Amino acid sequence: MANPLFLLLRGIQTIGLRPTWNGVVHAVRTRWVEAKFADPKRPLRGLPLLLAFLRRIPVPPGAFPPPGPVIATPGPLLSVREEENALHCHFARASVTVQAFASDIIQVSWQPEAGMLREATASLKQAAELRTPLLCCRVSPDGRIAIANASGDTLAEEAAPVSWAAGGEIKGATEERPSYALLRWRVPPNAHFYGLGERAAPLDLRGRVYINWNTDPRTYGPGDDPLYLCVPFLIVLHPDGRHAWGLLLESSARSRFDLGQADPESVGIDLYLPHDPQGQGWGKVSYLLFYAPTVAQLLERFTEVTGRHPLFPRWALGYHQCRWSYYPEERVRRLARDFRETYRVPCDSIHLDIHYMDGYRVFTWDRRRFPDPKRLIADLHGQGFKVVTIVDPGVKADRKYRVFKDGLARGMFCRYPDGRVFIGPVWPGNCAFPDFTDPRVREWWGDLHRDLVEAGVDGIWDDMNEPALFGEDGATIPGPVRHNLDGAGGDHRVAHNLYGLNMARATAEGLARLAPDRRPFVITRSGWTGVQRYAAHWTADNRSDWASLRQTLPMVLNLGLSGIAFTGSDIGGFEGFATGELFTRWLQMSVFFPFCRAHTYLFSPDQEPWSWGEPYLSINREFIRLRYRLLPYLYTALWQCTQTGAPIVRPLLWAFQDDPTTHTLDDEFLCGDALLVAPVLEEGATRRRVYLPAGLWYDFWTDERHEGPAWLEVEAPLERIPVFVRAGAVVPMGPDMDYVSQRPTDPLTLHLYPPAEGQEVVSFLYEDDGETLAYRRGEYRLNRFVLREDGGQVDLTWTVEGAFDPGPRRVEALVHWGGGCEPARLESVVPGRRTIGRG
Ligand code: GLC
């Protein structure tokens, strides 16, 4: 933990004296209520409370003490009951149900027996087996789980049976009275690990410990853990790329994944089991096992279970501009003019950070700064901008404020076990916190967006929803505070990780109700498994330095491998002072990310594409323009993600899993099916090494052809980053535009990259109106292109499906022959088959 004096001074500098004081009070109060309600049925009072409180003083929020001694293992296997697709095994001290959800997805649910005392009489010596057409799941007589393929080869197995351990201790203070469940899986020493949500770590997560407890780190750099959005889903890739398996923990309580740190041949999972006498099913451990030959197939199955992104409005793929904060109204208008007139840089959306609100009261406007939001937004719409406003979960505890009054009257806020409303400090001062895990509260919250929607706001940015409170690092709602948990009931130790997910859900569902035919656009800072169903995400408060730029890519890659694909980072970095070079390099990478937004800190200078003058302005403008020309391609990648869960930004192993070099490669990436992007991540660099996996590749800028696998040394002056196109691809591109709905995609240019000899490659272009839900009623158009190499000629077959009519437009094709030949232009191409010869 950072030095408390430093934290105090930093707090005073960032948020002021009074909020900092509120934070100190919150830290003390957290310990007090955690001591008082350690057993909510028997709250402590008097001297015992004081002593328990004093013991808790050194315990930081979100602490995760190592588990105490093991108190139970399943013991010997006593009986097995088989059902169709399920197996129930009774052990002396626990029972397990193994159930096949599908031939490649198996759920394992352990439940300790009450008292854990049953002793073995006649135990079974043979493993029990559950077979699916693809897998065999074995439960050994001592309780170890293993999965094997249909021919009996073991794919994954436990090194030890599940066990339950006593609660851990931190500096003499027992963390409540919970226990832990411990899982130990055996892995090859060089297996690779991916997923786990948002991690400031390399792509391959091996060799470290990761905690699942959503946390606002204030600001972070490489190695800091945990961050805002955890997902307890781990992908294990066999070292030779032969197959992959995944484990999704079905618990929202804190957990710790040791990925080969303590033992390179094991994955250790410690799951916290909070003792909640008002909750049910204590001690249950449940997880899903996924198996697939490839990571891509695994993710398809994972997102089938946990959900996929909806098709966001097309403008969400435009360039976004933000800072903490643009105000007053005149500043916002000037920003809009700067984009459209002064600097002519394309942009789709302006984000309003917390200063638009009246004293940070959510769902209000500061009328001195923004006297007429409706008119301002209408004018911005007239210039082609969308407006996104930030919304925080904390509702100012102010009896004159309608949201607070209403929420209080209707019982919408989280409460202590004794029924008092929990109050804690954040931007507006002391706040109450809606219990988003309650469906009633979600509906209420969703409806609160009405005024914003009626003012014309186009998207909502849910922030601080870990939830983060003021005070020490990791400050949040205290553990004993109660939550509805969709009727199941529980306390914050179980609800914490679900808070951001449910806020995003409330927001997205509210926007969908308020504007039924418009696609909601929500970005959320926090989340959990499945948050992709409701929102996009950004990697929040990083730093304006090269290490943070370098860190961003693996973060985005692992988020994508956790189901959360619509992501990006604050371009230029959040805290600190970006240089022109850093901003440009960051932007050049981010134009290939789904969420492309520049944002910066309260005390940083403006971070706009023109802030550093030339040559940066021209380069930044060119790259943002390139993004706009690539919109048909990027929108297709987004559509594909909604269909299969395939992230838009993918590690190279996604498509080249049998090539071990790709397993740890995290300074280049695939954007969609066709592009390989190698951003420049080092200060002063004007060239970089790029790995091209097997196959034929075209240099995007020069059409030069390269045969992989190969390491190349590629020129990367400030105005360029290495980009390559996979042979056989058809890359659809549109005209230049200032914002996505400025003009139709006319002309549509199909960039054809001939495949290697004898090969045939399929590409897609997905189109619809970009804004409404008409696509769900068949109003879309899916263009399918097959490019075939045929004795030195290329053969293009273009077929279309769906009822959407893109209107009259010109479609041209540009054939990139490479090898020093000029690209050949075909003036007007129509669906059907066409053979194109050289020359
Ligand atoms: C949080 C957000 C950041 C935002 C700031 C003020 O730190 O992560 O993006 O600018 O709050 O709202």
Side-chain angles (χ1 to χ4, degrees), residues 183-252:
L183 304 171
R184 300 287 177 263
W185 284 81
R186 196 191 309 281
V187 288
N190 40 1
H192 305 286
F193 303 118
Y194 314 107
L196 291 191
E198 181 170 58
R199 301 294 165 181
L203 168 67
D204 183 355
L205 300 167
R206 173 172 273 286
R208 299 187 198 195
V209 171
Y210 303 89
I211 297 206
N212 292 305
W213 181 254
N214 293 338
T215 302
D216 172 7
R218 315 291 176 193
T219 170
Y220 67 90
D224 290 338
D225 190 83
L227 302 178
Y228 314 91
L229 195 165
C230 304
V231 178
F233 174 58
L234 174 70
I235 298 176
V236 181
L237 176 65
H238 193 272
D240 65 9
R242 211 173 340 133
H243 64 253
W245 62 278
L247 186 150
L248 171 67
L249 217 47
E250 294 185 291
S251 166
S252 56

Side-chain angles (χ1 to χ4, degrees), residues 223-288:
D224 290 338
D225 190 83
L227 302 178
Y228 314 91
L229 195 165
C230 304
V231 178
F233 174 58
L234 174 70
I235 298 176
V236 181
L237 176 65
H238 193 272
D240 65 9
R242 211 173 340 133
H243 64 253
W245 62 278
L247 186 150
L248 171 67
L249 217 47
E250 294 185 291
S251 166
S252 56
R254 258 176 277 181
S255 59
R256 171 169 38 210
F257 280 55
D258 178 332
L259 305 185
Q261 178 172 292
D263 169 8
E265 295 192 45
S266 132
V267 165
I269 301 174
D270 300 347
L271 171 66
Y272 197 69
L273 301 169
H275 176 74
D276 176 7
Q278 295 173 24
Q280 285 167 10
W282 178 86
K284 193 172 163 204
V285 190
S286 170
Y287 55 88
L288 294 182

Side-chain angles (χ1 to χ4, degrees), residues 483-672:
H483 289 268
N484 175 281
L485 287 164
D486 283 287
D491 66 22
H492 194 68
R493 289 168 299 174
V494 183
H496 178 82
N497 283 327
L498 303 173
Y499 197 81
L501 164 78
N502 281 293
M503 182 186 184
R505 175 174 180 184
T507 308
E509 291 178 346
L511 295 183
R513 281 195 306 277
L514 291 166
D517 205 34
R518 235 172 59 187
R519 303 179 201 172
F521 181 61
V522 180
I523 26 168
T524 181
R525 192 169 78 174
S526 188
W528 190 247
T529 315
V531 69
Q532 64 270 14
R533 282 173 287 165
Y534 310 111
H537 168 74
W538 91 110
T539 59
D541 303 356
N542 53 15
R543 302 191 183 115
S544 294
D545 58 29
W546 292 87
S548 297
L549 167 60
R550 172 73 184 84
Q551 181 57 75
T552 296
L553 180 51
M555 285 177 86
V556 165
L557 292 172
N558 271 320
L559 277 162
L561 294 180
S562 310
I564 301 150
F566 204 101
T567 62
S569 63
D570 289 347
I571 298 171
F574 180 72
E575 198 187 67
F577 303 86
T579 60
E581 182 192 0
L582 180 67
F583 183 89
T584 293
R585 290 310 200 185
W586 209 310
L587 177 76
Q588 288 171 327
M589 171 176 79
S590 302
V591 299
F592 297 95
F593 282 2
F595 186 50
C596 181
R597 183 185 78 166
H599 178 43
T600 192
Y601 188 48
L602 179 63
F603 301 115
S604 310
D606 287 340
Q607 235 162 246
E608 287 126 20
W610 50 85
S611 298
W612 296 268
E614 294 293 358
Y616 306 104
L617 164 60
S618 300
I619 301 171
N620 297 339
R621 183 196 291 121
E622 259 326 293
F623 266 81
I624 297 176
R625 282 195 177 152
L626 171 65
R627 180 178 179 92
Y628 277 78
R629 289 199 298 277
L630 277 170
L631 268 174
Y633 176 78
L634 294 171
Y635 193 57
T636 302
L638 171 61
W639 165 78
Q640 199 182 22
C641 174
T642 67
Q643 302 298 300
T644 66
I648 296 149
V649 170
R650 308 167 186 171
L652 269 62
L653 69 92
W654 185 266
F656 302 93
Q657 191 178 298
D658 52 2
D659 175 352
T661 306
T662 66
H663 297 171
T664 52
L665 199 66
D666 61 5
D667 64 352
E668 49 185 279
F669 61 99
L670 302 172
C671 166

Side-chain angles (χ1 to χ4, degrees), residues 32 50 66 104 110 133 140 250 285 319 361 402 429 439 520 546 587 641 669 681 737 741 795 823:
W32 184 260
L50 185 64
D104 51 357
W110 282 99
S140 71
E250 294 185 291
V285 190
Y319 174 76
R361 288 170 185 81
R402 96 188 137 83
W546 292 87
L587 177 76
C641 174
F669 61 99
L681 305 166
M737 28 191 151
S741 57
D795 192 85

